[in-house]
Amino acid sequence: MFSLLRVLFHKGLNLFFSPEFLRFLLFGGIATLVSFFGGFLLYAFCSMPYAPAVFIGSAAAIIVNFALNYAFNFHYQGRSMTAQFVTFASVAGVGTVLTTLLAKGLLYLGLWIFPTCSLLDIEVACHVLAIGTVTFYSFFAHKYLSFNAGILAPLKKFAAHLTHRDQP
């Protein structure tokens, strides 16, 4: 058991310090800046409600993130760029919803825990925490779905497995 944990730990370290992950973090960092400042400008200066502003900022970052990762990081030639973008947008859309829901949930928690802090300070902290948390989901989902065989391929493989298993 200990050797299995050790192997998993080392594989995790190798993955998180791989050039692919580091580029993903760099490009994700650039997209995060687009997401954060886009949302921040909308809720802090344009009086847009918090959740829609966070959502719009995250959605704008999807395009930046895809372009950078497609051009410089993940090199999967088994599907067209359009198909990869559709999967990327779907995976990122889920990430955007997760970021929005997490930011909003953290905001309620932050307002309860820190009632004397300014609303803007709590909004910014919650926004940053939500983005950071969703980064890990994003890496694995994009690596194994967006810039790979896609969302439907694992589902088709699973369905084929079930079909073959049920035959006499």
Side-chain angles (χ1 to χ4, degrees):
M1 177 71 168
F2 180 72
S3 63
L4 175 64
L5 290 174
R6 200 172 103 213
V7 167
L8 289 174
F9 176 76
H10 287 291
K11 284 190 180 278
L13 278 180
N14 288 339
L15 176 67
F16 288 121
F17 290 107
S18 70
E20 187 178 64
F21 184 70
L22 295 175
R23 281 189 301 268
F24 181 82
L25 287 179
L26 173 65
F27 301 151
I30 293 167
T32 297
L33 291 174
V34 169
S35 174
F36 177 75
F37 285 111
F40 177 76
L41 289 173
L42 291 172
Y43 64 73
F45 297 107
C46 296
S47 300
M48 181 176 277
Y50 184 68
V54 170
F55 183 86
I56 290 169
S58 294
I62 290 171
I63 295 168
V64 170
N65 203 348
F66 175 80
L68 291 171
N69 275 293
Y70 183 83
F72 303 111
N73 201 17
F74 298 110
H75 304 289
Y76 183 72
Q77 302 301 320
R79 294 187 311 138
S80 70
M81 179 178 76
T82 302
Q84 290 180 60
F85 179 76
V86 168
T87 305
F88 188 94
S90 299
V91 167
V94 170
T96 299
V97 170
L98 288 173
T99 300
T100 304
L101 293 174
L102 187 57
K104 191 68 173 175
L106 288 170
L107 179 62
Y108 288 128
L109 183 63
L111 291 171
W112 181 69
I113 294 173
F114 304 107
T116 59
C117 290
S118 79
L119 176 62
L120 184 60
D121 288 344
I122 296 172
E123 286 174 335
V124 168
C126 295
H127 192 175
V128 169
L129 285 170
I131 290 169
T133 302
V134 174
T135 296
F136 294 98
Y137 151 81
S138 294
F139 174 74
F140 290 107
H142 290 312
K143 178 177 175 62
Y144 294 110
L145 297 175
S146 301
F147 297 106
N148 207 312
I151 294 171
L152 295 179
L155 294 175
K156 288 177 183 176
K157 186 176 179 181
F158 180 70
H161 172 72
L162 290 178
T163 304
H164 291 300
R165 196 178 94 201
D166 292 338
Q167 293 179 353

